């Protein structure tokens, strides 16, 4: 029997407490599968007195994460505090500097400092594992970093925020407004009291930035992401999408293009018959398109104490099963010094289909005008729907919905600006991009 | 730079040729990601002269797989010949005995001898990797063996045979007969000239047996699988399933029950709104339900030279990235000597929903009789559909379709036998099990 793998955990929130319980309750099973015992020897958390329903009596308590990382008798430092900077960052650096392996679920930390931390880990011969940082329990980091070795990835996209997917699913299934569904999500604990970070797309953007690096081998660039949240999505959009054979999901998409790598987070229409369109509620999904393997889609729980703890435990087990000493698995798929600079593709050069919903005054010739502006910009239309609430009152506002074939974002923006200039639009037009799985 | 990892490949069919091309074309990229070059130094195949579109001039040719495994100057033996016994088995054993790592895509070999081979690998400190053996490019072995460490799996199920899924999808989408779709599958190269191994479910059974061991920690038991193929599925079944909100898929299912582990391969009705129901054509999908992570579903290409080669390459890369010497990742999820004996659950104690389609003579009281037999066996019905082709001729045969709530297989068998004894059935009743994703 090899020596026990000694673990120190910083942060005993939902995930940390789950992890302690699982490692303690399943000690025997873990010893068999990992070939050595996994033992928690050190912990730290903000509140020492709170009852977490776990037995910490045999575990050494440290006053801070930094102190634990610097001084505890451990092989692996597990960071479950969160936050891009402050104690999470300082303690992870301290641990890596000692040559300790690090496991973290902290997407903000990686999105901000991932490349530096990976370089430090590689310099010290340590592993930096972070499966739980993206899409919770879905092993997408392992798939990109290990299973897809040798593949050239063309696109990676996914539903990576359970809050948004819960709200969009509930709006569709129950015909409720965005606000009503957000309130319900908050009541159920699926959304924070201040939900902005989720519903504006920032959370998805952090995760996407990490996936982009693993998929395309560039340095992490979380600030260079085109970002649109879901607050603007109305029940009318969801209904119109359904009528046309689509569902609306908040997707993070990273894609190789001729001008660079696109990174974008926005509400997206996906064909209703696609597998990803069936991913409901808080469930996450990530699709990876590559040249040798083809398309791989993974669906699973994106959050929650247990699912996240499962991913953290998988990372710890990988360390337990590997030989001690210098490792060759590069945290970000290739050695940090070999990552390329990120070259951002111009969003106005994005090519894809678009859904455009406009409310217009019922004036003669409006429809022809709109069609004319589309034609002027060489935008070809897949479908056109014109609606009014009743057919009796011919002067009431009408809704016009256009779905375009693949076209360039710049053309769409130009056409929409021209239409806005005509003066017959009531309110802002709604523009939603369409994303299709590879045929 | 570490030493190159030297590879010997036995078998240069579609997968082997793809693998050689990929490793040669992407040498530079692989060196960066794996931290060392991967070099093919030895090959063997039945036909030495065939033009495979790859350059073998710098590679040493061996006359047999056994000779290559025993004598070549290699670190990793890659077995891509297939077959449970004969040269594949002999050469893999020879390689492991030398302490070489082995990568194989051979499900039949593993289903028959996997436990012995894993034990031999562990004794010698070698790795035995076989991601490509189950569900082609989908990294389900890695997910079960590594990502889910510490989880207790309750059920694993999936679409693991592209031929069957292609046929069933085509029957549904185009309303064609089983025979017509099989012919089309053969024309497109999705089915063999002798398709029995696929359409009778044996191929799925081999793969299931491997997944069962990784999921439940028992010894591989490929002969203890309840097996029904898809040859008996008619377009009427598919239409009736669709009317009731189901699709028919050939699933392999392994499930922990109170009496043991169920392993079964049979046509299965899945709810049309489930994610797995959307998996069309030759695509595969595997779902894993476990207690910490929850449900994980992976969808991807289950066959094809490139997708399979991608999985083989991932296995090779794992070896390249690990340190030489004794390894602790047990091939079957836990050390072979710690695998438990397989305890087969009794199929007649299987619990689930059932679809029963019967054609009956139009006699007075038949419907009441059938309902009576169901009630006698405590089978409660979710829905009952009675149909005749026209409503004008009241003496023509009628179709009765029952869908039951969860009930025991023994009760269904008893009820069906009793109904058969009544003499009003025309032909055999069709019984199809229903499988639901965990809610």
């Amino acid at each position: 029997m090899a020596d026990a793998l000694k673990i120190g955990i910083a942060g005993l929130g939902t995930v940390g407490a789950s992890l302690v319980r699982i490692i303690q309750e399943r000690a025997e099973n873990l010893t068999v599968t990992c070939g050595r015992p996994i033992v928690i020897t050190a912990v730290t958390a903000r509140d020492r007195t709170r009852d977490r329903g776990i037995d910490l009596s045999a575990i050494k308590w440290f006053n801070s994460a930094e102190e634990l990382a610097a001084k505890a008798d451990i092989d692996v430092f597990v960071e479950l505090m969160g936050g891009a900077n402050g104690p999470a960052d300082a303690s992870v650096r301290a641990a890596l500097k000692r040559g300790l392996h690090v496991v973290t679920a902290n997407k903000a930390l990686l999105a901000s400092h991932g490349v530096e931390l990976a370089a430090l880990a590689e310099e010290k011969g340590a592993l930096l594992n972070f499966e739980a940082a993206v899409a919770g329990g879905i092993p997408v980091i392992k798939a990109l970093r290990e299973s897809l070795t040798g593949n050239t990835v063309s696109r990676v996209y996914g539903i990576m925020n359970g809050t948004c997917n819960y709200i969009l699913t509930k709006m569709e299934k129950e015909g409720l407004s965005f606000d009503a569904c957000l309130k319900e999500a908050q009541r159920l604990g699926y959304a924070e009291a201040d939900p902005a970070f989720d519903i504006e797309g920032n959370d998805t953007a952090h995760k996407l930035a990490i996936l982009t690096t693993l998929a395309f081998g560039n340095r992490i660039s979380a600030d260079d992401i085109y970002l649109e949240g879901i607050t603007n999505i109305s029940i009318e959009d969801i209904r119109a999408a359904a009528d046309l054979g689509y569902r609306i999901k908040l997707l993070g998409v990273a894609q190789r293009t001729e001008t660079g790598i696109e990174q974008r987070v926005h509400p997206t229409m996906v064909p209703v018959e696609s597998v990803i369109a069936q991913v409901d509620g808080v469930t996450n999904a990530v699709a990876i398109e590559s040249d040798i393997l083809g398309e791989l889609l993974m669906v699973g729980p994106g959050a929650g104490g247990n699912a996240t703890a499962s991913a953290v435990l998988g990372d710890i087990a990988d360390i337990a099963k590997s030989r001690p000493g210098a490792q060759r698995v590069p945290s970000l798929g290739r050695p940090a010094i070999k990552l390329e600079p990120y070259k951002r593709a111009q969003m106005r050069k994005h090519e894809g289909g678009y859904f455009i919903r406009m409310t217009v005054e019922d004036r003669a010739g409006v429809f022809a005008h709109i069609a004319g502006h589309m034609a002027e910009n060489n935008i070809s239309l897949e479908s056109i729907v014109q609606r009014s609430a009743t057919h009796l009152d011919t002067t009431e506002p009408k809704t016009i919905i256009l779905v375009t074939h693949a076209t360039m974002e710049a053309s769409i923006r130009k056409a929409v600006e021209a239409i806005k200039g005509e003066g017959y639009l009531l309110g802002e037009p709604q523009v939603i991009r369409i994303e299709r799985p590879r045929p």
Side-chain angles (χ1 to χ4, degrees), chain A:
Chain A
M1 175 72 63
D3 287 347
L5 187 78
K6 286 173 279 184
I7 307 288
I9 301 174
L12 292 174
T14 322
V15 178
S18 286
L19 183 66
V20 171
R21 189 170 46 247
I22 292 162
I23 290 178
Q24 289 180 341
E25 284 176 1
R26 304 187 181 198
E28 200 177 334
N29 172 288
L30 288 171
T31 304
V32 170
T33 50
C34 297
R36 61 202 287 200
I38 294 175
V39 181
I40 302 164
T41 58
V43 290
T44 182
R46 259 185 303 222
D47 182 354
R48 186 163 179 168
T49 56
R50 187 153 66 91
D51 180 10
R52 299 175 171 89
I54 48 177
D55 179 11
L56 301 171
S57 57
I59 303 176
K60 184 164 169 139
W61 188 281
F62 284 80
N63 288 319
S64 74
E66 293 96 317
E67 195 193 339
L68 190 159
K71 298 190 180 156
D73 176 23
I74 53 176
D75 305 301
V76 183
F77 177 67
V78 180
E79 185 275 303
L80 300 173
M81 295 176 291
N85 300 297
D89 182 43
S91 60
V92 165
R93 282 174 204 266
L96 290 173
K97 278 183 188 145
R98 278 178 73 196
L100 299 180
H101 303 300
V102 169
V103 175
T104 176
N106 188 335
K107 57 194 175 285
L109 174 68
L110 289 158
S112 298
H113 309 298
V115 177
E116 280 168 80
L117 298 175
L120 184 55
E122 283 151 26
E123 185 195 321
K124 299 290 184 177
L127 289 170
L128 170 63
N129 286 349
F130 51 89
E131 186 62 81
V134 180
I138 303 176
V140 61
I141 301 298
K142 200 177 250 293
L144 278 169
R145 190 175 56 195
E146 299 168 26
S147 304
L148 283 156
T149 300
N151 277 266
T152 299
V153 176
S154 50
R155 179 168 61 156
V156 53
Y157 64 97
I159 298 168
M160 292 180 271
N161 183 276
T163 308
C164 290
N165 207 49
Y166 173 84
I167 292 171
L168 292 171
T169 304
K170 196 163 178 76
M171 285 175 76
E172 186 194 344
K173 302 230 168 193
E174 303 187 15
L176 298 173
S177 71
F178 175 83
D179 288 334
C181 295
L182 171 58
K183 281 209 181 72
E184 181 64 9
Q186 286 170 320
R187 197 183 66 79
L188 293 168
Y190 295 156
E192 308 280 342
D194 176 1
F197 193 73
D198 289 313
I199 63 178
E200 302 289 358
N202 307 81
D203 173 76
T204 302
H206 278 166
K207 295 166 180 167
L208 182 66
I210 298 168
L211 290 188
T212 302
T213 288
L214 283 155
F216 301 112
N218 58 265
R219 295 175 146 262
I220 298 172
S221 190
D223 296 330
D224 272 333
I225 296 182
Y226 176 84
L227 200 61
E228 266 179 45
I230 62 165
T231 53
N232 198 26
I233 298 296
S234 69
I235 188 70
E236 286 75 24
D237 294 320
I238 285 177
R239 285 197 187 123
D243 287 349
L244 292 162
Y246 295 92
R247 283 194 180 126
I248 299 178
K249 300 288 182 189
L250 182 74
L251 293 191
V253 186
Q255 186 169 15
R256 193 188 293 278
T257 74
E258 283 178 16
T259 65
I261 306 287
E262 277 183 9
Q263 289 188 105
R264 47 195 169 85
V265 173
H266 52 69
T268 312
M269 304 215 327
V270 292
V272 71
E273 71 277 8
S274 63
V275 180
I276 203 165
Q278 318 305 319
V279 175
D280 283 347
V282 294
T283 303
N284 282 17
V286 180
I288 308 166
E289 292 172 358
S290 61
D291 61 345
I292 317 177
L293 176 55
E295 178 166 353
L296 176 67
L297 175 72
M298 305 168 104
V299 184
N306 275 341
T308 309
S310 176
V312 171
L313 182 55
D315 279 351
I316 294 171
D318 277 352
I319 295 168
K321 291 171 191 169
S322 68
R323 277 173 64 87
Q327 305 294 330
R328 287 205 195 93
V329 182
S331 307
L332 296 172
R334 58 173 63 199
I337 50 161
K338 302 266 186 173
L339 294 167
E340 320 249 331
Y342 173 66
K343 189 180 173 205
R344 180 180 186 158
Q346 292 175 314
M347 195 58 199
R348 60 187 183 77
K349 292 204 173 157
H350 167 68
E351 265 191 80
Y354 289 80
F355 160 100
I356 307 168
R357 184 173 63 83
M358 294 169 280
T359 308
V360 299
E361 286 175 19
D362 187 47
R363 276 198 229 155
V366 164
F367 199 87
H369 249 117
I370 289 174
H373 284 301
M374 292 290 152
E376 273 162 29
N377 288 284
N378 294 313
I379 298 165
S380 90
L381 299 175
E382 180 184 300
S383 54
I384 306 172
V385 181
Q386 180 173 341
R387 278 216 198 97
S388 49
T390 72
H391 290 280
L392 300 175
D393 178 359
T394 54
T395 61
E396 69 174 12
K398 288 199 161 43
T399 297
I400 294 178
I401 291 162
L402 308 175
V403 173
T404 78
H405 287 296
T407 187
M408 205 172 276
E409 174 111 0
S411 306
I412 293 289
R413 290 186 188 175
K414 219 170 134 196
V416 167
E417 280 313 306
I419 292 165
K420 281 166 78 172
E422 297 280 5
Y424 44 63
L425 284 193
L426 300 167
E428 275 291 303
Q430 175 72 291
V431 178
I432 302 176
R433 293 171 194 84
I434 298 170
E435 200 80 22
R436 294 178 193 284
R438 193 156 67 170

